[in-house]
Structures are given as structure tokens and as C-alpha cells.
């Protein structure tokens, strides 16, 4: 029998078009290399090397060629952020440390382990200093700006306090998990607002739409909020609890707070009350902001994640009055024929099929 002929393909590696990176380094004598001695000097050298022309393409160059919008500069649509002086912060921190060392009572409580840190002051200090930067990083990590405000971002400078439940025990942070049962009714929302100011509060979900991946469902929209009194604002679309479809994983539910320059007429955004039509609740935050961008500015954000539970079935059947979509296979229980009194020609573990599921004692009486 003749053996099958396998074609042999010889791959010849082409020579590089120029010098390879770090080709001039002597790997046998690494101690002779110049040391940077500081990160600033290393960063300066790296910036100089980045500007030099090279013959190869970087990953960023390939991505820019395939997608011109990749890693493009984003537009800041928020309020101007006043960065605190780093020198002033360091000076104040040193002064606080110096005063604490002179405090004998503080030293005694620390030594006896009775000193208590006031968490309210820590929260207040965090909100005034690094909170806008860290919240913005979290929002970028979860794709909030990419899906709601394409090619734009903002620094959340107004901290949103969103609490669910009768005792306000369930709080919305920045990506924490909550069940649809916890978010059944409208939450208590509070924020620091100047007297006479007007605000707009939006709750939307970019992952929930059943027909259009680029669209959203608006769950709550309140405009012309005087001060921080959300109940006194104009409810443009009443609250609808989350309804993530079964089998679609976690959905993001995002609160966005806008600061208005004055009263706004939201005639195009008003939904009928009650509004249980998903077609009428179809929404796009980008289009909403474009209509009113001359009169409002996003200043705050908070969001949570939620996936299917039993309350979603009730929302689809009784609130939305529609059949529930299911995107996963629900396995039926394993079928067992009726138990017979004398199981002839059956395995020894025949009776295990008909146990009641309780923990067995296996001979312990």
C-alpha cells in the first residue's frame, strides 16, 4: 500500500526591516547599563524614545488603523473640576500628623486600643478629595460612559445617596449586586444641592432591551427637581422595577444626575402614566442629553448590577402584561417510573431513586 504523500511547506523567516528593539544592549554585561535612579527620569526617557521614528507598528497603531475611534480623546461634558493643590495637601497632612503627635489623649487611646475613627468624617473627606476620580474609574471599568455617552466622560462631583427598602438598608454604590426583589419600589434619593437649583434624575439600563442592543429601557425619569427634593420634581416616567430576562446574566442599572441651568420643558420625554409599554420606554441617554445639552450637565452617577429572580416573572406577567422571555434551557426533573413493590432484576441502588432527598443515616439508629 503506498504511503500518503504529505506536502512539506518550508517557512522562511524574513529578515527584519531594521534594528530590533534593545538590540544595542549588552546582555552579558548588564551592570554597565545606565541606571535611571528615579521614576521621573525613566518616564522622561520613555517619552523621548516614544517620539523617535521606528520601522515597526505597535499594537496601538494597528488598532487605530482598524478602528480610528479606538483610544481617541474623550470629551469632558461635566462641570470643570478644580484639582486641589498637591503641595497644599501635603502641607496640611504634615500639620495634622504633627498635631496628632502632640496630643497626649490621642496617644493614650491609641495605646489602649480604645480610639475610634469617625467614619462620617472619612466619608466626607473622601467625597471632597478623591471620590470624583475613583468613581470615574469605576464607571469606565463597567462601561458606563461608553454605553451612555459615547466618546465622552465626566467627573461625578455630586455624590448620590440611593437607598432601597423600608429601612433604607440596601444602598446603591458603584457596581454592587442587588436583586430585583430589593429594588421593587422606588428608592430614597438624596444629594447635596444648593437652594434654588434644579436637577434631573435618570435611571436607565443599557443591557435590558429585548430587540435592539443599542437601545435602553428607561426605568425612572424625574425632571425639574427643586433642591434635593426628588418627590417635588416632575415625574416624566414613573418607576419600573428591574426585569433582567432569565439567562442573560447581570444587567447594569445606572442612576445619572444632571444639573439644570433653569427650568426645562420635557414635552418630548414625557411618558403616559402609568407606562407599561416597553416600546414607549425605549430610550437612549445620548439622544436625551443631545436635546438638552445646552441646559443641563451630568454631575453624578451611581449604579448596581442585578440578575433574574422570581420577582421578574411577576413583573412580566402582572406589570408588563406579557409572556416572560427565557434565554436558557430549563431542564425538566429526571423521570423515574412508579416504584414497584418487588423490583425484580433491578440494581442494588434501585431504592435510591425514590428517596425523599433528606439526609440519610446509613445505619445510625
Amino acid at each position: 500500500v503506498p504511503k500518503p504523500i504529505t506536502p512539506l511547506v518550508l517557512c522562511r523567516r524574513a529578515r527584519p526591516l531594521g534594528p530590533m528593539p534593545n538590540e544595542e544592549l549588552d546582555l552579558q554585561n548588564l551592570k554597565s547599563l545606565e541606571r535611571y535612579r528615579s521614576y521621573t527620569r525613566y518616564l522622561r526617557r520613555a517619552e523621548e524614545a516614544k517620539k523617535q521614528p521606528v520601522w515597526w507598528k505597535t499594537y496601538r497603531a494597528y488598532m487605530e488603523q482598524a478602528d480610528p475611534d479606538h483610544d481617541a480623546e474623550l470629551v469632558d461634558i461635566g462641570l470643570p473640576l478644580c484639582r486641589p493643590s498637591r503641595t497644599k495637601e501635603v502641607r496640611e497632612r504634615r500639620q495634622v500628623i504633627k498635631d496628632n503627635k502632640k496630643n497626649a489623649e490621642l496617644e493614650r487611646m491609641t495605646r489602649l486600643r480604645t480610639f475610634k475613627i469617625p467614619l462620617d468624617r472619612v466619608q466626607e473627606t473622601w467625597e471632597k478629595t478623591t471620590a470624583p476620580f475613583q468613581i470615574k474609574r469605576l464607571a469606565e471599568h463597567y462601561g458606563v460612559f461608553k454605553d451612555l455617552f459615547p466618546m465622552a466622560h465626566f467627573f461625578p462631583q455630586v455624590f448620590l445617596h440611593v437607598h432601597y427598602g423600608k429601612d433604607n438598608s440596601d444602598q446603591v454604590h458603584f457596581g454592587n449586586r442587588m436583586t430585583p426583589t430589593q429594588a421593587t419600589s422606588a428608592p430614597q434619593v438624596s444629594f447635596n444641592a444648593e437652594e434654588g437649583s434644579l436637577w434631573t434624575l435618570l435611571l436607565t439600563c443599557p443591557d435590558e432591551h429585548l430587540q435592539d442592543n443599542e437601545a435602553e429601557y428607561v426605568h425612572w425619569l424625574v425632571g425639574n427637581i427643586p433642591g434635593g427634593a426628588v418627590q417635588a420634581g416632575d415625574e416624566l416616567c414613573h418607576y419600573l422595577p428591574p426585569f433582567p430576562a432569565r439567562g442573560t446574566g447581570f444587567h447594569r442599572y445606572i442612576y445619572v444626575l444632571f444639573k439644570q441651568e433653569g427650568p426645562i420643558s420635557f414635552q418630548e420625554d414625557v411618558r403616559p402614566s402609568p407606562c407599561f409599554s416597553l416600546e414607549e420606554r425605549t430610550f437612549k441617554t445620548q439622544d436625551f442629553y443631545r436635546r438638552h445639552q445646552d441646559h443641563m450637565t451630568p454631575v453624578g452617577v451611581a449604579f448596581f448590577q442585578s440578575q433574574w429572580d422570581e420577582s421578574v416573572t411577576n413583573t412580566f406577567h402582572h406589570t408588563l402584561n406579557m409572556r416572560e422571555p427565557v434565554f436558557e434551557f430549563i431542564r425538566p426533573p429526571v423521570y423515574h417510573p412508579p416504584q414497584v413493590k418487588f423490583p425484580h432484576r433491578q440494581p442494588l441502588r434501585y431504592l435510591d431513586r425514590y428517596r425523599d432527598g433528606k439526609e440519610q443515616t446509613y445505619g445510625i439508629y
Side-chain angles (χ1 to χ4, degrees), residues 82-95 129-130 133-134:
C82 299
R83 296 177 179 268
S85 173
R86 179 63 179 173
T87 306
K88 184 179 178 181
E89 285 185 350
V90 173
R91 189 182 299 114
E92 292 178 354
R93 188 177 304 170
R94 289 177 178 175
Q95 184 63 34
T129 54
T130 60
F133 304 97
Q134 296 178 359

Side-chain angles (χ1 to χ4, degrees), residues 129-269:
T129 54
T130 60
F133 304 97
Q134 296 178 359
I135 296 174
K136 176 178 176 291
R137 288 182 60 186
L138 286 171
E140 289 175 343
H141 174 75
Y142 283 95
V144 172
F145 299 136
K146 180 185 68 174
D147 294 334
L148 299 189
F149 305 97
M151 306 304 296
H153 69 97
F154 65 91
F155 288 94
Q157 302 184 41
V158 179
F159 199 84
L160 269 174
H161 301 271
V162 184
H163 296 270
Y164 281 97
K166 295 181 180 179
D167 54 352
N168 295 335
S169 58
D170 303 321
Q171 183 177 357
V172 177
H173 297 285
F174 309 100
N176 58 314
R177 297 180 181 180
M178 296 182 62
T179 62
T181 304
Q182 293 175 295
T184 301
S185 57
Q188 296 291 331
V189 181
S190 60
F191 51 89
N192 295 327
E194 305 87 1
E195 185 178 357
S197 58
L198 293 175
W199 309 78
T200 297
L201 181 65
L202 167 68
L203 172 59
T204 182
C205 179
D207 309 318
E208 205 173 39
H209 206 281
L210 300 175
Q211 296 178 338
D212 187 1
N213 291 334
E214 302 297 328
E216 311 159 23
Y217 284 138
V218 56
H219 283 259
W220 199 23
L221 183 58
V222 185
N224 295 322
I225 301 174
V230 179
Q231 296 79 7
D234 300 333
E235 193 172 51
L236 310 176
C237 184
H238 72 91
Y239 182 82
L240 181 67
F243 51 93
R246 186 170 187 174
T248 56
F250 284 96
H251 293 194
R252 297 163 295 169
Y253 294 88
I254 306 170
Y255 284 91
V256 183
L257 181 67
F258 299 88
K259 185 174 183 180
Q260 302 176 197
E261 296 183 359
I264 299 177
S265 175
F266 295 98
Q267 294 182 358
E268 300 181 17
D269 307 296

Side-chain angles (χ1 to χ4, degrees), residues 249-292:
F250 284 96
H251 293 194
R252 297 163 295 169
Y253 294 88
I254 306 170
Y255 284 91
V256 183
L257 181 67
F258 299 88
K259 185 174 183 180
Q260 302 176 197
E261 296 183 359
I264 299 177
S265 175
F266 295 98
Q267 294 182 358
E268 300 181 17
D269 307 296
V270 177
R271 267 67 173 179
S273 182
C275 179
F276 299 127
S277 170
L278 294 183
E279 183 178 356
E280 294 179 348
R281 282 187 176 266
T282 298
F283 186 80
K284 291 196 72 171
T285 304
Q286 183 182 12
D287 297 340
F288 173 77
Y289 175 68
R290 281 178 176 174
R291 285 195 298 269
H292 309 289

